[in-house]
Amino acid sequence: MSKDDRQDLSGWSVERLHDDHAQALREDAVLYDSETDHQRLRVIENPTFGRVLTLDGVVQTTEGDNFIYHEMLSHVPILAHGSARRVLIIGGGDGGMAREVLKHASVEHVTMVEIDPGVVEFSKQYLPNLSQGAFDDPRLRLVIADGAAYVRRTEDRFDVIIIDSTDPVGPGEVLFTDSFYGHAKRCLTPAGILVTQNGVPFLQGAELTNTMRAFKALFADWGCYLATIPTYAGGPMALGWGTDGAARKITLPQLTERFAAADIATEYYTPEVHLASFALPGYVRRLMP
Ligand code: SAM
């Protein structure tokens, strides 16, 4: 390797989620670095992305680009559903997903099941721009528990369930199993929609195929849609979609009307982007079971 290849990466946060691909973010400051009961939690300051939260060295969310992921995993199912009153978020400890879901005045109740209270307490203090007061919204009920155990035991039903988890390593692993998806489906109302964080298919193709195989067995309408988040390295991220309802039959005029009526500010989501996000390129389509 030439000298240039052996760059000094001290002062950089290096993510090694994948065996042969890494990403590095310059650390202008390390604002926090500690182990919780479940994972190593760090926040760094980066000139481009602002504050960056990593769990076990993997980027979870950044002040700079979180809007893309949180808008697409919340507004797509809620606006497609059309009358979502009760929403369940599994994970989401930084509060960004709750922030976007609670923008919908039509949503009456949000249950958020987060395994690590350290992420919530920490994010309130170090990443207030993520939650923007969501944790104080009276519609939000925070449950500290394993999401897999919660869906097995709850008798509550939800119109939209959002799996905003870490990757399938560590505590997040149970949230990528057939058993979990089956129990999550049980918690949906008849036309309810389940959406999932399903990794970057160019680097995590098997993860998407596994989830889609489970969704194919569980739902009348299953598939995924795409959004590109710069700090989820490797190209577009796949967001899993499963429902027995007809939400995907919505037309652009209907969606445009719903979006206008919702009267919410977005930086990435538009009705056109919503519908276009379900158009899959060949390499992703070939990962479908
Ligand atoms: N946007 C990120 C992504 O796409 O990877 C996810 C962000 S959010 C911080 C992920 C959350 O999932 C973390 O707070 C983590 O503690 C939580 N989590 C992981 N496993 C969990 C489980 N089994 N039950 C509930 N929450 C879990």
Side-chain angles (χ1 to χ4, degrees):
M1 282 169 68
S2 72
K3 181 181 174 308
D4 291 341
D5 292 340
R6 289 193 295 274
Q7 286 178 7
D8 172 10
L9 285 176
S10 59
W12 291 72
S13 173
V14 182
E15 176 189 276
R16 289 185 170 82
L17 176 60
H18 309 294
D19 295 339
D20 52 9
H21 175 285
Q23 75 169 336
L25 293 168
R26 199 178 77 202
E27 298 176 346
D28 273 9
V30 178
L31 303 176
Y32 189 89
D33 185 352
S34 174
E35 292 281 346
T36 72
D37 292 342
H38 298 274
Q39 45 214 342
R40 183 174 179 194
L41 202 160
R42 296 184 85 236
V43 173
I44 66 164
E45 190 81 51
N46 173 275
T48 301
F49 293 102
R51 293 189 175 186
V52 178
L53 167 65
T54 67
L55 291 175
D56 291 338
V58 178
V59 172
Q60 296 299 306
T61 192
T62 84
E63 287 181 324
D65 67 2
N66 81 85
F67 68 95
I68 302 170
Y69 169 82
H70 290 123
E71 288 183 17
M72 288 301 281
L73 207 51
S74 58
H75 305 319
V76 169
I78 290 173
L79 290 169
H81 184 283
S83 57
R85 299 283 179 269
R86 298 176 56 81
V87 176
L88 171 62
I89 299 169
I90 303 286
D94 53 77
M97 198 63 71
R99 175 196 79 219
E100 290 301 317
V101 170
L102 291 164
K103 280 183 179 176
H104 293 267
S106 56
V107 168
E108 296 166 357
H109 175 85
V110 179
T111 293
M112 180 171 144
V113 182
E114 166 56 56
I115 198 167
D116 191 338
V119 177
V120 174
E121 289 319 308
F122 161 86
S123 297
K124 284 179 183 176
Q125 183 179 352
Y126 287 91
L127 294 167
N129 290 338
L130 266 291
S131 53
Q132 294 180 14
F135 290 113
D136 301 321
D137 190 309
R139 292 173 290 167
L140 179 70
R141 172 175 168 252
L142 175 63
V143 175
I144 299 299
D146 174 353
Y150 177 85
V151 294
R152 277 199 302 272
R153 70 167 186 264
T154 186
E155 290 309 312
D156 285 348
R157 293 294 177 265
F158 300 94
D159 302 308
V160 169
I161 298 178
I162 300 171
I163 314 303
D164 177 19
S165 71
T166 44
D167 289 280
V169 288
E173 197 164 358
V174 292
L175 304 180
F176 290 79
T177 61
D178 293 13
S179 162
F180 170 68
Y181 294 136
H183 285 293
K185 179 179 183 185
R186 184 185 63 84
C187 300
L188 283 173
T189 51
I193 303 169
L194 172 63
V195 290
T196 60
Q197 181 278 97
N198 242 118
V200 171
F202 197 88
L203 297 170
Q204 297 164 290
E207 183 184 311
L208 176 60
T209 302
N210 290 338
T211 298
M212 293 294 100
R213 194 173 288 122
F215 279 30
K216 183 176 183 179
L218 285 169
F219 295 106
D221 174 23
W222 59 276
C224 70
Y225 58 108
L226 302 179
T228 300
I229 299 98
T231 52
Y232 298 159
M237 169 175 263
L239 305 173
W241 165 280
T243 183
D244 285 340
R248 234 183 337 157
K249 294 189 168 61
I250 191 165
T251 64
L252 182 58
Q254 288 170 322
L255 201 49
T256 303
E257 187 180 334
R258 280 185 189 169
F259 182 51
D263 190 25
I264 57 177
T266 57
E267 292 295 309
Y268 185 89
Y269 179 93
T270 69
E272 293 80 1
V273 165
H274 174 143
L275 295 181
S277 67
F278 284 89
L280 303 182
Y283 82 94
V284 177
R285 199 178 300 140
R286 279 189 287 280
L287 292 168
M288 297 295 111

